Amino acid sequence: MGLSIRASFFRSVTLAASAALMMNTVPALSVAQAQIKAPVTMQQGPDSVADLAAGLLDAVVNISTSQNVKNDDQAPMPQVPEGSPFQDFFDEFFKGQGGEGGNRQRTVNSLGSGFVIDPSGIIVTNNHVIEGADDIEVNFANGSKLKAKLIGTDTKTDLAVLKVEPKRPLTAVPIGDSRQMRIGDWVMAIGNPFGLGGTVTVGIISARGRNINAGPYDNFIQTDAAINKGNSGGPLFNMKGEVIGINTAIISPTGGSIGIGFSVPTELAGNVISQLREFGETHRGWLGVRIQPVTADIAESLKMETPKGALIAGVIKGGPVDGGAIKTGDVILKFDGRDVVEMRDLPRVVAESPVGKAVDVVIIRDGKEMTVKVTLGRLEDGEDLAEAEAKTSPTQEGTDQAEPPAADLPASDIVLGMKLAVLDAESRKTYGISEDVEGVVIAEVQPQSAAAERRIASGDVIVEIGQEAMKTPEDVSARVEELKADGRRNALLMIANKTGELRFVTVRME
């Protein structure tokens, strides 16, 4: 009985529900739909860059170059029997390439990218894209092609400026300020990867101020926007459509993008591009000094709270500060209002300064901070001067062979693992030391000593210790004892090599 009631009840409910659905199907579905909420629109990733890219594609160009190079193969041209049916083939293939053996030439082609910065036809690219090219052709997005003339190049920043002669003004892009960019900002690269042309990739700035040992002024922007072979010389844009970098290098074990690309920032490239346009070459500022890093040990020896700045290891004769405001042993902290945090900052800020400009330089000398004024020379002239100085330096012919033992010279007791001797005519002749080097000659360095750890060698000359000039071995011993009594753990030595080139080293006194 119970089972029948439950079965009847279930059937009644089922029938009732079915009837309700049959009579009022639409309202029932409407109620169900009303209970389902519409999905909330969520923004995923950045906004579309389609509009931005559309306005920039015409300003980005493909650059193709060709270079005729001699064939290194010195093998003679194959010979065939006179009257052979293959004679014509061999003559056409081999003699058509420039003649016999090593006189044959072949053409090497390469592809890269560039971008227009002036509607009159000024184009920027990488130096390595066009280096050594006999013919440069610029291919535009609309399919047109123009021959390009090289205006100027700069190997130190790997930049080049080209000029084409268009019949009508070209689409150009503005140069932006890379200093305004932050890590995490969106950027867009356009270029010619693997010869595909007009390829757009998007990413972010991964890091700034990267040093990849590509040149003396490394200050690269690192990005994860895909950059591949053929992207070299192409622009890196911010989201305003301004060029903030020139794509130059990648790190890749495979040859393809792994998300680590590097661009020359416009804060460095802008001045170089302007100079190449105006002069066809660079006019960089030059201070005329040799520098080295300020290590923790050197900072402690100079009574600096933190290691920073650039230590002056030498002043180039005839340079802008020769006998002037800056001296060997000074530490430069600021140059023309810009901080010199580490050694590599100084060459860059000096190079970016105009030739002939008088600038304020903040230095530490004898433990005191002071400001001096210097007037910059031109780096390109300075390189010629340094090269001429190197040529006039005394040669070291024969001095690297069988150096005489320390017993051949009167030597002092051992100081910091070094046997010392007076620098006189005999010792100069023995070690080939230049006449303009003054100090105390090192006759011998004990193996595994504190001096040996710093790669000090016999024939080196101690010029200063703790910023005091050394004349005799007794001066060295006395100065080391003074520093120990003062609680110093390291002695700061100014060391000259045989030709007079200086460097600073710290030697443990414990």
Side-chain angles (χ1 to χ4, degrees):
M1 179 67 180
L3 289 174
S4 300
I5 293 172
R6 284 195 292 272
S8 300
F9 175 76
F10 176 77
R11 185 170 181 274
S12 299
V13 171
T14 302
L15 291 173
S18 298
L21 287 172
M22 292 176 64
M23 293 185 294
N24 199 18
T25 301
V26 175
L29 289 174
S30 297
V31 171
Q33 289 175 345
Q35 293 175 346
I36 300 175
K37 294 183 178 180
V40 178
T41 303
M42 300 293 289
Q43 181 174 332
Q44 301 293 328
D47 292 335
S48 171
V49 296
D51 292 338
L52 178 63
L56 301 174
L57 280 167
D58 288 342
V60 181
V61 299
N62 300 337
I63 296 176
S64 62
T65 66
S66 62
Q67 179 183 6
N68 294 322
V69 297
K70 287 186 178 181
N71 195 335
D72 293 333
D73 183 9
Q74 298 298 319
M77 185 178 72
Q79 300 295 317
V80 295
E82 192 71 31
S84 168
F86 299 106
Q87 181 72 49
D88 292 340
F89 169 77
F90 274 89
D91 287 347
E92 179 182 355
F93 184 77
F94 287 101
K95 292 182 180 179
Q97 294 190 41
E100 301 257 349
N103 293 325
R104 296 195 300 270
Q105 291 189 343
R106 59 191 176 90
T107 300
V108 176
N109 298 306
S110 64
L111 294 172
S113 304
F115 55 97
V116 181
I117 62 170
D118 189 308
S120 66
I122 302 296
I123 295 170
V124 174
T125 185
N126 280 147
N127 174 63
H128 76 260
V129 170
I130 53 83
E131 188 172 19
D134 297 312
D135 184 71
I136 305 173
E137 187 173 66
V138 177
N139 305 288
F140 294 88
N142 61 7
S144 62
K145 300 180 180 181
L146 290 173
K147 295 293 184 181
K149 174 185 176 183
L150 180 61
I151 299 298
T153 65
D154 178 44
T155 57
K156 291 182 174 66
T157 54
D158 194 18
L159 295 176
V161 175
L162 310 176
K163 179 72 169 70
V164 296
E165 300 295 340
K167 294 181 179 179
R168 59 182 61 86
L170 301 174
T171 301
V173 289
I175 302 292
D177 186 357
S178 61
R179 291 172 296 186
Q180 303 300 319
M181 302 300 293
R182 301 183 303 163
I183 295 173
D185 280 344
W186 289 99
V187 288
M188 180 174 66
I190 302 180
N192 181 34
F194 301 107
L196 293 173
T199 298
V200 179
T201 56
V202 176
I204 62 169
I205 291 181
S206 305
R208 291 175 50 91
R210 286 296 196 211
N211 179 13
I212 60 173
N213 296 316
Y217 310 120
D218 279 16
N219 187 30
F220 287 101
I221 293 172
Q222 180 184 329
T223 179
D224 66 352
I227 296 174
N228 291 286
K229 291 180 179 179
N231 272 109
S232 291
L236 187 70
F237 293 102
N238 61 18
M239 292 296 104
K240 298 178 183 178
E242 300 169 333
V243 178
I244 51 89
I246 297 92
N247 300 322
T248 298
I250 62 173
I251 290 180
S252 172
T254 63
S257 173
I258 59 171
I260 304 178
F262 301 98
S263 299
V264 180
T266 54
E267 63 191 276
L268 176 61
N271 191 39
V272 173
I273 293 169
S274 297
Q275 290 180 7
L276 293 179
R277 291 185 65 178
E278 183 176 356
F279 308 113
E281 59 183 3
T282 55
H283 287 194
R284 290 189 170 95
W286 180 53
L287 199 54
V289 296
R290 291 186 293 270
I291 58 176
Q292 69 179 74
V294 178
T295 64
D297 289 341
I298 290 177
E300 181 185 1
S301 300
L302 295 175
K303 298 182 179 180
M304 297 173 59
E305 293 183 1
T306 56
K308 60 182 178 179
L311 176 62
I312 305 300
V315 176
I316 296 175
K317 292 181 180 179
V321 296
D322 182 19
I326 294 180
K327 300 178 180 180
T328 301
D330 291 345
V331 176
I332 295 180
L333 301 179
K334 280 189 177 183
F335 185 89
D336 199 17
R338 299 172 66 177
D339 290 331
V340 179
V341 179
E342 52 184 300
M343 181 192 74
R344 70 187 184 95
D345 293 335
L346 183 62
R348 186 169 62 249
V349 297
V350 172
E352 292 172 0
S353 302
V355 176
K357 182 180 181 180
V359 299
D360 289 330
V361 182
V362 178
I363 64 172
I364 289 180
R365 179 183 296 165
D366 299 328
K368 298 178 182 178
E369 186 174 306
M370 61 180 69
T371 301
V372 297
K373 189 173 287 290
V374 301
T375 301
L376 297 179
R378 184 186 172 203
L379 175 63
E380 291 74 15
D381 297 334
E383 289 173 336
D384 295 337
L385 184 63
E387 183 179 349
E389 182 179 330
K391 288 180 179 178
T392 57
S393 297
T395 62
Q396 301 181 33
E397 242 179 83
T399 59
D400 292 334
Q401 299 178 4
E403 286 191 353
D408 287 352
L409 294 174
S412 69
D413 293 335
I414 297 175
V415 180
L416 301 179
M418 301 175 290
K419 285 186 178 181
L420 309 175
V422 175
L423 182 57
D424 54 18
E426 183 182 354
S427 58
R428 287 185 192 279
K429 182 179 179 181
T430 300
Y431 291 105
I433 298 172
S434 175
E435 289 293 333
D436 58 356
V437 176
E438 297 293 341
V440 178
V441 66
I442 300 170
E444 182 182 348
V445 178
Q446 292 186 326
Q448 299 180 346
S449 64
E453 288 178 358
R454 298 301 186 181
R455 298 184 179 179
I456 296 174
S458 58
D460 286 343
V461 176
I462 300 176
V463 180
E464 291 182 359
I465 296 182
Q467 298 184 308
E468 286 191 10
M470 299 290 106
K471 299 294 184 183
T472 67
E474 291 73 24
D475 292 340
V476 175
S477 298
R479 182 57 175 154
V480 169
E481 292 304 320
E482 286 179 10
L483 294 175
K484 287 181 178 179
D486 197 30
R488 303 285 186 89
R489 294 181 298 174
N490 299 289
L492 180 63
L493 277 61
M494 181 195 291
I495 301 291
N497 65 11
K498 300 169 186 179
T499 62
E501 185 174 340
L502 301 174
R503 72 183 191 277
F504 284 89
V505 296
T506 55
V507 179
R508 290 183 294 104
M509 296 187 297
E510 300 172 351

